[in-house]
DNA sequence: CCGTATCCATTCCGATACTG
DNA sequence: CAGTATCGGAATGGATACGG
């Protein structure tokens, strides 16, 4: 009893990912991995969290197939953590979260780290939810069907 | 000591939202709110979590401005929880998470609840990250600048 | 430099009882 | 129905010591 609920068996594709990245640190590790961080120490320095916690999260992400362990690129004895295809596919989630944070979690004058188009140095276009024919959809234009019992 | 780290002061717009929706339940409450659930009992029935936990999460979401409390629409003595503009702006986050879950958290034959275009009943287009000029961007085509120290 | 192991405070969460 | 109050177990997470 009193065990933490897992969503692995939920029939909802929103719920299951929360087991994987639904905590304080996992998304930030993924963010750093997108920024090119690979080494244990790099993550720790960037995030400032305890080493045991970092180790646990890294292993969890490896277990879930978001990260994989590869030999060190510089020939050192250690290994590095890089995003798998599954991990790289989190890019839109990260961008969505970031754009929401920019709009609603900062004061007007406050500075924040900005994700830009590398070629032009310009910020990205706002993400839009679209139907197959390309129409932009508002929440009210959508519905959920086929929810498993 | 040993307090849970909050990201309110982080200069990264990915980090701050995690204080708001970076736990198991908040995103699911938001999902249900998008599905039109409004009453305490509806959320509880849908999510199957303890009432005290639900109450805490609802209040937290109200405090963060994601939900607001409005008088009951049916004239009953209680109130209801509805998304604010800030909450509705989480729609792309929810869709991004959902699309990732569909691809990577279900087996090929497994059924899941599907979000569709209400008019046509068809699934949505995959979210794409684009530059201002409309070009689709891969993670490698982007970079982070202006990270506050 | 890269982790693992241990310890402990805090927080989370589920169950249940209770009030209006 | 809509919550609040309380309890206890579990998980989280921080600090630090230690081994490769």
């Amino acid at each position: 009893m009193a065990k933490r609920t897992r969503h692995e068996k939920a029939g909802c594709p929103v719920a299951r990912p929360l087991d994987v990245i639904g905590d304080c640190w996992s998304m930030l590790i993924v963010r750093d991995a997108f920024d090119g961080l690979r080494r244990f120490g790099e993550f720790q320095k960037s995030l400032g969290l305890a080493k045991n916690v970092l180790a646990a999260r890294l292993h969890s992400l490896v277990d879930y197939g978001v990260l994989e362990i590869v030999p060190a690129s510089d020939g050192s004895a250690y290994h590095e953590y890089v995003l798998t295809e599954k991990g790289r596919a989190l890019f839109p989630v990260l961008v969505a979260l970031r754009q929401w944070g920019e709009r609603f979690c900062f004061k007007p004058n406050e500075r924040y780290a900005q994700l830009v188009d590398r070629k032009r140095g310009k910020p990205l276009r706002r993400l839009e939810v679209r139907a197959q024919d390309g129409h932009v959809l508002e929440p009210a234009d959508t519905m959920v069907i086929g929810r498993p019992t």
Side-chain angles (χ1 to χ4, degrees), chain A:
Chain A
M1 76 161 93
K3 257 193 188 166
R4 175 76 123 259
T5 310
R6 291 272 102 106
H7 303 286
E8 306 185 14
K9 318 199 72 175
C12 171
V14 176
R16 292 197 188 183
L18 296 177
D19 287 345
V20 185
I21 49 158
D23 78 282
C24 275
W25 295 116
S26 299
M27 250 344 249
L28 297 180
I29 292 172
V30 169
R31 176 203 62 183
D32 280 352
F34 273 115
D35 287 352
L37 271 54
R38 306 164 65 96
R39 298 289 282 257
F40 189 93
E42 292 178 321
F43 288 110
Q44 206 210 343
K45 188 173 168 190
S46 164
L47 298 171
L49 80 176
K51 292 200 279 190
N52 55 351
V53 178
L54 176 57
R57 285 286 153 250
L58 285 172
H59 289 149
S60 163
L61 288 170
V62 169
D63 287 346
Y64 277 117
V66 171
L67 296 177
E68 64 182 339
I69 295 178
V70 301
S73 48
D74 63 353
S76 83
Y78 308 108
H79 42 244
E80 305 184 341
Y81 303 89
V82 300
L83 291 165
T84 61
E85 186 203 345
K86 183 173 177 179
R88 288 189 301 273
L90 282 169
F91 192 52
V93 178
L94 205 64
V95 172
L97 206 55
R98 176 184 289 273
Q99 293 186 342
W100 190 78
E102 289 173 354
R103 268 183 79 187
F104 294 101
C105 297
F106 284 82
K107 299 193 184 118
N109 293 346
E110 214 174 354
R111 274 282 185 64
Y112 50 82
Q114 204 158 16
L115 185 72
V116 299
D117 175 358
R118 172 167 249 131
K119 283 227 180 76
R120 333 231 163 178
K122 295 257 201 173
L124 311 186
R125 184 182 285 194
R126 174 90 47 88
L127 281 179
E128 289 164 329
V129 176
R130 291 177 182 272
Q132 277 185 352
D133 63 12
H135 275 81
V136 174
L137 295 174
E138 297 304 315
D141 303 324
T142 65
M143 60 185 299
V144 174
I145 61 169
R147 200 192 302 274
T149 54

